[in-house]
Amino acid sequence: MAPVGGKKDKKGILERLNSGEVVIGDGGFVFALEKRGYVKAGPWTPEAAVEHPEAVRQLHREFLRAGSNVMQTFTFYASEDKLENRGNYVAEKISGQKVNEAACDIARQVADEGDALVAGGVSQTPSYLSCKSEAEVKKVFQQQLEVFMKKNVDFLIAEVNKEMIKDETMTYIFSALCFHEDQYFEHVEEAVWAVEALKVSGKPVAVTMCIGPEGDLHGVPPGECAVRLVKAGASIVGVNCHFDPTISLQTVKLMKEGLEAARLKAHLMSQPLAYHTPDCNKQGFIDLPEFPFGLEPRVATRWDIQKYAREAYSLGVRYIGGCCGFEPYHIRAIAEELAPERGFLPPASEKHGSWGSGLDMHTKPWIRARARKEYWKNLRIASGRPYNPSLSKPDAWGVTKGTTELMQQKEATTEQQLTELFEKQKFRSAQ
C-alpha cells in the first residue's frame, strides 16, 4: 500500500466522523517540546508559539507527515490566569492573546500543507482550582474563544448534538487533543462550564477529561461525567492524558455505557498517554514519583500503540490519537495499523517497513532475522535496570479543588512554601 499525501477538498470534523471515517489526531506537545528545550517543566505554558515558532511548526509538520488529520493549536495552559500564575512572565511580557493568535497561525499554516483541520484547545484553570466563581472561570475561557473565532479555527466544538449525528449509531472516538476542544479537566463541573462558555460560538464543542475508571476528583463516575457534558452542549466527549491506552479505553467504555443508559448520542474521544500506568491511582501519572523527569522507562513501543489502535477501532472508536509522550512515530503506528480501513499509508511510512520489514537490509544476520511481525509482536521488553522495581507507589496526597496547597497565586512560590511542601513530602514518604 503506497503512502499518499497532498491537498484535497477538506471535509469538516463532524462530516468525517459521521461517515465513519477514521480520524487520526496528533500527539503530545508540552512534553515533546520540553525535551527539545522550548517548554519549561512546571508551568508547561505554550509561549514557544511566540518565542520559537519554528519549533512548534516543525512538530506540527512531523505529526502531519506521520498521519495526523487534525492540527491542534498549541494553546494548552494558554489562559491568561495560567500565564501569570506563580511568577510566570508570559502574561505581562507577551500576553495570552499573542500566544493564542500565534498558535492558531502556525496550526493553520501546517494544516493547509495537507488534508488536516485546525482545532483549538482550552484546559483547566488556576481560577477554578482557587475556587473562583462560575462567571470568573467562564470569562477566562471566553478570552481564548475570542481569538479562536477571530482566527476561524475549523471547529470550536461548541454546539448541541442535535444536528451532529445524522444516524442512529453512536460513533466512539479515541483521540489526541485536536480541535478547538475543552481538554485536560479533572473536575466535571469546570468542564461543563467550559462547554457552556464555548458553545455560544455556534460551532461544535468537544470536551475531554483526564480521568480514569474511578471518575473525576470529586468522585463523579465516567458515565455520569459524559452525560453531564452532553447535556451541557458537547457534541464530542471523552478522556485524555493521565492514563495509558488500556486504562483510557476502559474509561471510554464506561462513558459509552453511561450515554447509552441515558439515551444520549455523542461522539466519544480520548487521548491516552504513551506511558504505561498500571500502578496509577485516581490522579494518574502526575502522582507517580517519576513524574515528570523519570518516565522514559514507561514509554510505549510503536507495537504497543498499534495494539491500542486496533483495540480502539474494534471498540467502535473512530478518532484515535495521543497525549503526553506520544511522538510522531506513535502516531505513524496508528496510521499504519489502520491503513487497511483508511485505504492509505501516511507519508512517513516511506521510511518505515511494516513490522520491521526494513531490517532485511541490515548488515548483521541476527538483525535481519528480526524482520517479521511475530518477533516484535511477541517480544517481552526488558528495561535494562536490574535493580529497579517494575511498579511505583503513587504519592497520593489527595488534594483537589479548594485544598490549601492548590490555591493559586500570581506571585512566585516562596522558599517558605517550598520548605513546607518538602517537609510534607518527607512525612508522607515515611508512612
Side-chain angles (χ1 to χ4, degrees), residues 195-212:
V195 172
E196 292 172 345
L198 295 180
K199 71 178 183 179
V200 299
S201 66
K203 296 188 177 185
V205 173
V207 55
T208 54
M209 298 189 65
C210 49
I211 61 174

Side-chain angles (χ1 to χ4, degrees), residues 266-286:
H267 293 290
L268 287 175
M269 64 181 292
S270 177
Q271 47 217 22
L273 299 170
Y275 304 111
H276 292 287
T277 63
D279 43 350
C280 281
N281 59 16
K282 196 170 187 176
Q283 284 268 15
F285 82 141
I286 62 172

Side-chain angles (χ1 to χ4, degrees), residues 138-312:
K138 284 184 174 180
K139 183 178 179 180
V140 174
F141 296 135
Q142 288 161 355
Q143 289 174 330
Q144 285 186 272
L145 175 60
E146 289 175 4
V147 175
F148 295 137
M149 294 302 290
K150 175 183 175 182
K151 294 297 182 178
N152 195 28
V153 297
D154 290 315
F155 40 118
L156 272 169
I157 318 293
E159 168 178 272
V160 190
N161 283 22
K162 240 177 172 179
E163 299 178 88
M164 183 188 86
I165 301 180
K166 300 175 182 177
D167 57 29
E168 293 300 314
T169 303
M170 190 181 298
T171 300
Y172 304 106
I173 324 163
F174 207 86
S175 103
L177 306 172
C178 291
F179 6 102
H180 181 21
E181 73 181 279
D182 310 336
Q183 63 199 7
Y184 197 82
F185 287 96
E186 297 173 310
H187 305 86
V188 69
E189 180 182 51
E190 186 184 19
V192 166
W193 292 355
V195 172
E196 292 172 345
L198 295 180
K199 71 178 183 179
V200 299
S201 66
K203 296 188 177 185
V205 173
V207 55
T208 54
M209 298 189 65
C210 49
I211 61 174
E214 293 184 54
D216 84 345
L217 294 190
H218 285 156
V220 181
E224 185 178 341
C225 286
V227 168
R228 291 189 189 183
L229 293 168
V230 172
K231 287 184 176 180
S235 299
I236 305 170
V237 298
V239 301
N240 75 288
C241 205
H242 278 210
F243 297 95
D244 62 31
T246 299
I247 296 174
S248 294
L249 276 176
Q250 293 171 4
T251 309
V252 169
K253 186 173 184 291
L254 293 172
M255 285 186 156
K256 167 186 172 179
E257 292 170 352
L259 290 174
E260 289 177 337
R263 298 183 181 275
L264 295 172
K265 298 179 186 297
H267 293 290
L268 287 175
M269 64 181 292
S270 177
Q271 47 217 22
L273 299 170
Y275 304 111
H276 292 287
T277 63
D279 43 350
C280 281
N281 59 16
K282 196 170 187 176
Q283 284 268 15
F285 82 141
I286 62 172
D287 251 7
L288 293 175
E290 299 93 344
F291 178 90
F293 300 129
L295 292 166
E296 284 80 2
R298 295 173 176 267
V299 174
T301 68
R302 64 196 67 195
W303 318 122
D304 292 330
I305 299 305
Q306 285 200 209
K307 180 174 181 285
Y308 143 65
R310 180 53 56 191
E311 291 178 348

